[in-house]
Amino acid sequence: MMTNGVVHANVFGIKDWVTPYKISVLALLYEMTASKITLPERRRLNKLILPLQQGPDLTLGQFLQTVEECCSQTAYAVKLRLHEMADGELKDMEYFFSTLPTPFTAFDSEAYKTSVVGLFMRHMLLAYNKLSFSQVYKLYRSLQHYYHNTVGDRADKEEMDIPLHESELRGPLSQKQAEYFLARQAYLLKNDENKALKPAALQEELNNMLKFNPDFAEAHYLNYLNSMRVQDIFLSAHSLLHYFDRLILSGNEGKSNGDEGYGRSLRYAALNLASLHCRFGHYRQADLALQEAIRIAQESNDHVCLQHCLSWLYTLEQMKGSDSTVLTEDSVKMAAHFCLPYLASLGIQSLVQQGATQGKTAHKLMDALKDTDILHWKHSLSELIEISLAQTTSIWRMYGKSTMALQQAQLLLNISSLEPVNFGVQQNNTEAFAVALCHLAELHAEQGLYSAVSEIIQHLKEQFPPHTQHAKLWMLCDLKIQFERHMNEGKYHLAEPLVTAISALNKTEGLYRKAQVLKALNRSTEAYRILQQLQVHCEKTKCTEMVIRVMLSTAELHWESSGFSTALPLLLQALALARQHHLQSLASEAILHLAFTQLMLGVPEQALTVLHEAIEPVLAHGAVMDKGRTMLLAARCQMAVAGFRPNRQGQAVLAVDTLNEAAAYFSKLNCKERLRDVHYLQAQLHHALGQTLQRNKSAMLFRLLDQELQSPAPPVSMQL
Amino acid sequence: MKMAALCSEFGNLVDIKKQLISVISLCKERGLLHSAKWASELAFALDPLPKDELPPSPPFTEDDAQDLDALTLAKSYFDLKEYDRAAYFLKGCCSQKAYFLYMYSRYLSGEKKKDDETVDSLGPLEKGQVRNEALRELRVELSKKHTAGELDGFTLYLYGVVLRKLDLLKEAVDVFVEAVHALPLHWGAWLELSNLVTNIEMLKSLSLPDCWIKDFFMAHMYTELQMIKEALQKYQNLIEAGFSKSTYIISQIAVAYHNIRDIDQALALFNELREQDPYRIDNMDTFSNLLYVKSMKPELSYLAHNLVEIDKYRVETCCVIGNYYSLRSQHEKAALYFQRALKLNPRCLGAWTLMGHEYMEMKNTSAAIQAYRHAIEVNKRDYRAWYGLGQTYEILKMPFYCLYYYRKAHQLRPNDSRMLVALGESYEKLSQQVEAKKCYWRAYSVGDVEKMALLKLAKLHEQLNESDDAAQCYMLYIQDIFSCGEQLEHAEVSTALRYLGQYYFKSKLYDEASLCAQRCCDYNDAREEGKALLRQISQVRDQIETPSADLFAPLSNNNTPVRRVSPLNLISFTP
């Protein structure tokens, strides 16, 4: 059969073929209409019909067992009917088909022509009637084979003792079954990868499918998706191109322009190729492919495709690290014009992300997100709702509002899926969930709740196994938490190897952490060099958060060489930058540094007033470590002030309280070095106050810790 | 040294002839027609034996005598393709010959039924599932006998075939090796083995019997593995050893020359072949490909008509007719004949690719893509199909997309300049000049068949204002064109000369410039410019000659380009 000069494999255009398994399903349906079954049993059987129709061919044993679980009486009847056919003659099968209730006449039965069952029966009858003489006989033979394989004696199996290829044992899928299988797996790959088949198993399934039906193009596409999972660029490119080569054939009908025809699939082929290269980080290749897609789309006036290209273009620009705000804005406008809500709000989300890093005001961002949310709920774009929530979490965290971030993350994690397939299931494993969970883990780590953190990480590990796409997110998060923990506990030798791992995942972060370790190990020159390098890099890429952090670290380096006055301009600059970008936690950190510098420069009153500005946000939102450091600094300021004032008693008592509070925070984190400082100061204070008993106790605690740590204590004054 | 050994090995042509004659009768008795044909062809190429030298007929055992009647009956049924009937009457016979024929009939009966069933299978999904049902039983029986060591050379061969059909390739290779050891003269076993050897390492690892026929096998293998030089050497040795009249060897050499695109040699050999064996149909599709490439219409037409008279329902005939129509630009008809060839043999690789080419000519890109994809499905290593796919996408103006396909083709034929030039062109379209330059240079280095790479490279350099490199390329290009002797249609010598003239003029090398300008005047399209340049040169020379000599010397020294290029200085150039 030829169309457009192309040989079609599917001669009759029939998608369904009668197989012995289908005959058994027909027999089941027949029994269900014919015999009296109790209501609960009927209900169970009814629930079974759809999976049986859509699933792959089962062996008779499996089939009968499934039916028997619902209704043993029907299973027996079905078996009997099959037995009649298989042990009888060809005419028994012919008789069976002639007795089936014809969907066109049975008005009041379930098998009426428009019902699911009726449709299936019509398909089967049509397919059966089209069989040729020898095909009917062949069908009968295979039915006999099918029946006797399960039920009959297995004596004749003995001679087949030579192991067969596994693929030989598995039967082919029918068109419908294959489509269902592919759709299901593709959906799972997108939304809940863990429930999909393992990459190797899926590959085998697909190979099997393609072996029996090489013309089934969609299988190639799934193959492409599957290869992407295991980061196999070679196979995924191959499958993608193969799929589109096939698709171009199926969508022929001659129109090369416009919405239909193979011109369309050509454009999307190029676009998909671009996305493939993008996924593997080949930005230059992706760019070329994208340009090609854009050119073809422009030539054929396909605005929708162009719009998709545009949104890929700004994504690509972003990934390459250049500013793409203008492009994104254009894209949003165009998408709104062509009524593509998905692309429009995706663009807005991207704009919000860029805006957040560039220091747009918070209310503008939140407004934009709220507007898109309305759009999402209207169109039930559940995926975008998830992204939106995750984004809000990230923005709140960036601003240093941990409570708000926590609340948004919880909101996302408790949301129920809107997708029809996974309806009611609480979690998918999309990127949004990974991001939210990572934030949750970091937030808990900040509060020193390490057992909760390890639980969350464990959950992440299960949800996003290491080979999957989003696994890098939690890997980095896990490493960062571990690093912070080791640094807080003063175990620098444990933190150092983590730096390499962090660098592998994120170069900038890795460099920063390396500088921190070097600083802690007193290798200031190296640390300074790295920080300089980092600052230049971050200013180029407009990574404000990192710039501020680098400035603070540099200032700390200046302290070590007692260059307190040189640190001041840096700190002020950092503070200004943090305030400009509304980064509250970093601003408080900068204030802390500033206060410390002032303390060191001998203006404790000034330091105390500056510090008061930061205490409130830190206590409200900050990490435990920050709280402890703030209290320690406050106490030191108070002590210094007390040194000058006549009514020293009052300030000193205040300082005792503050120190106690700081000690509580530090002991929560097991931060022994700082705890030692606290005890030292306590002992001094008590001494000054003449409280010998408390002094001795503090001194003893100090001595114990000092022995344990064994490293010579750095001068108390030198550390924040 | 090697030659001498070979000669001594082949020294006794009489012995070889005797062996061939005896194996022919053995094959014939067993219905192995193709092997018999091959051996007969080879035997025919050797001098006839005197009467008393003829080999005696093989010994007649008790078993043979017992089975004689059944065997004769079965053989006549077998010849009439009534395989089941033949097998029925052979059941219970115990001689080796009868046993082979019994098993072989069962195998062929299964194959025949399989072919018949593909027509009315139970749907497209069963397409891949139709298989020879007899294979498993045959395997069980044969493997029992095999472990007992009761199989002779022919039954081992059959066992190997059964294993191969069951996709048990590793076991099949072992069995075929065993078969050629047991009966080295049976060419069919060698041929089956050659289909299973995929690379040279595997070939080297096989332990093959030391027999004169091994040389034929090795030569065949080298051709299959695209190691043409080695193959030609082998065949040359065989000819020198006394097989000069063998049509088989001539055809194989011709195919080898075709594979390395030495068209004239191949054509000459094919013509010789047709003189010796005018009714031959095998390999004639390759011959027609050559005629097509050379655009030899009358010869192709003659060949097509001749073949139609011999047998019009052969795949080769259909391909030849397809080529004939394609050359006459009747692409619809050409596609029709390629389709007919595919109906005759759906696994005919060449026809799929050629059909793709026809659809390309008809601008039916989607059908072309399908045809090429089919070709790839039949053989993943078909570089022409990959190349064709690349071309299709290039026509659809998707230069980036087609890169993948060209790369695939290039992978399969790393030393074929056409793929490299195509790759270069695509890169050029994507304005990736660095890659494009690399491709063109490599294309030139591996021996450019179309002589286009250098010209393109030169133009690319010209675009990038790398005038030294451009001039160098043009120079090489001119040398290349003139050294190959024949006139090429698309040669752009005039462009090269024009550029060189200007280049020398700018670098103030007036002698060279005027030489180029003069040569320019030989070409119509560059004559005016050549004359203009000559005039300019003479003007400048007049100006220079008027001032005093000592003023001229430093001036010319200063203006000599720092890097004066000698045409063969390629060191700075290697990309």
Side-chain angles (χ1 to χ4, degrees), chain B residues 19-30:
Chain B
Q19 288 172 2
L20 280 171
I21 290 174
S22 57
V23 86
I24 290 167
S25 67
L26 286 177
C27 286
K28 270 193 186 148
E29 282 170 352
R30 286 166 176 78

Side-chain angles (χ1 to χ4, degrees), chain A residues 430-457:
Chain A
T430 52
E431 190 181 4
F433 278 96
V435 170
L437 281 168
C438 284
H439 279 309
L440 206 60
E442 283 182 14
L443 285 169
H444 279 89
E446 279 180 3
Q447 301 307 321
L449 304 166
Y450 288 114
S451 64
V453 170
S454 69
E455 256 173 56
I456 295 172
I457 295 285

Side-chain angles (χ1 to χ4, degrees), chain B residues 543-560:
Chain B
Q543 280 172 14
I544 296 170
E545 274 162 24
T546 35
S548 64
D550 48 304
L551 217 159
F552 166 66
L555 188 86
S556 93
N557 275 346
N558 284 344
N559 286 338
T560 317

Side-chain angles (χ1 to χ4, degrees), chain A residues 90 161 203 554 689:
Chain A
L90 183 58
D161 50 353
Q203 186 73 46
T554 321
L689 290 172

